[in-house]
Amino acid sequence: MVSSAWNLFCAGTETTSSTLRHSLLLMMKHPDVQERVQREIDEVVGQDRWPSIEDRQRLPYTDAVIHEVQRSMDLAPIAVPHKTMCDTEYNGYVIPKGNGLVPPLSSVRIDPKWWKNPDCFDLENFLNEEGQFKKNDAFVAFGMGKRVCLAEALARTELFLFFTSLLQHFTFKAMVPPEELDTTPTNSSFGRIPRTYECYAIPRI
Ligand code: HEM
């Protein structure tokens, strides 16, 4: 019971809500990016209906923003504990069967081999020169392999629908100048989450 409750409240809600809070914070920090996301939503979805998941492919800039929000915030710096099921050799190291392992996902997130500016919020990480969405195999926000996040598809859908619907209807503005906003996530027992902030949600219509 305790384990299931933890899964529902932490894995199931804190993850997506913290990511959404961080995405709004970054939109306030980068008003030009927020404006461009809204322009894309206006052109593709308009104001007469809610965004649907089928719109994702037609919103490459918005999709790139969501990916870069996730990469740059590093919500889960380490994966859940794993265990080797047989003696395993990796990079010259022998890991015996039954050994506990905690994959450090952060190391991939900041590896300059994979990202142009790993420490910045940089949309070039997910956009090609034509402005199309560019997949990057080093995007491991949900982990990887057999034990990848059980709800990756659900979480991606939630993030896309909430983020696009919010920006379709509101412009988010900080109460302080954007330069003064601290977007560095803070470490909690759960993971890296955004700092508490207050903002204006200005209706767009
Ligand atoms: C932004 C949203 C989310 C992120 C970034 C995220 C990230 C992760 C990561 C990194 C792992 C560990 C994967 C590994 O060990 O390789 C994981 C596991 C897991 N996640 Fe998520 N998650 C998110 C949303 C959710 C949601 C919404 C649920 C449930 C409704 C969920 C349920 C789980 C469960 C049950 C596991 C454990 C899977 C296993 O042990 O095999 N996650 N998640």
Side-chain angles (χ1 to χ4, degrees):
M1 278 295 286
V2 169
S3 194
S4 297
W6 191 93
N7 274 350
L8 276 177
F9 286 107
C10 279
T13 58
E14 189 61 47
T15 47
T16 36
S17 66
S18 294
T19 307
L20 279 169
R21 281 198 298 124
H22 194 66
S23 68
L24 299 183
L25 183 61
L26 285 173
M27 291 306 95
M28 294 188 283
K29 181 84 177 171
H30 305 278
D32 52 320
V33 174
Q34 176 166 204
E35 238 179 86
R36 209 165 145 194
V37 169
Q38 288 174 322
R39 214 165 42 238
E40 193 180 57
I41 295 172
D42 289 349
E43 280 165 19
V44 173
V45 183
Q47 286 285 347
D48 298 332
R49 66 172 177 88
W50 292 101
S52 74
I53 199 64
E54 287 76 36
D55 293 317
R56 185 157 53 189
Q57 282 203 327
R58 297 189 294 147
L59 296 170
Y61 187 81
T62 307
D63 202 10
V65 168
I66 298 172
H67 277 76
E68 182 62 359
V69 165
Q70 285 198 270
R71 186 202 67 82
S72 63
M73 85 178 285
D74 198 21
L75 177 82
I78 50 171
V80 297
H82 293 232
K83 197 154 133 180
T84 40
M85 295 177 73
C86 55
D87 290 347
T88 306
E89 197 181 328
Y90 179 73
N91 266 358
Y93 294 93
V94 177
I95 308 166
K97 179 181 173 182
N99 203 91
L101 290 171
V102 182
L105 301 177
S106 277
S107 62
V108 188
R109 178 190 80 85
I110 51 163
D111 190 338
K113 217 168 62 196
W114 292 93
W115 313 103
K116 206 166 150 202
N117 295 308
D119 297 324
C120 304
F121 179 71
D122 184 353
L123 294 172
E124 280 187 36
N125 283 325
F126 292 100
L127 285 172
N128 66 16
E129 272 131 39
E130 286 83 47
Q132 291 307 308
F133 180 78
K134 179 176 75 175
K135 207 168 158 271
N136 189 321
D137 288 339
F139 177 78
V140 289
F142 294 97
M144 62 195 302
K146 282 192 183 164
R147 293 281 303 281
V148 68
C149 173
L150 204 64
E152 177 176 359
L154 169 74
R156 280 177 183 271
T157 304
E158 284 180 3
L159 290 179
F160 177 79
L161 293 181
F162 278 103
F163 182 70
T164 50
S165 303
L166 283 169
L167 289 201
Q168 182 186 35
H169 291 279
F170 298 96
T171 296
F172 292 87
K173 201 164 176 292
M175 295 190 165
V176 295
E179 327 59 90
E180 286 176 28
L181 275 180
D182 185 359
T183 57
T184 327
T186 169
N187 290 317
S188 76
S189 56
F190 167 73
R192 283 167 57 76
I193 58 171
R195 287 155 205 277
T196 308
Y197 61 82
E198 291 185 332
C199 68
Y200 298 106
I202 305 161
R204 295 187 63 215
I205 304 166

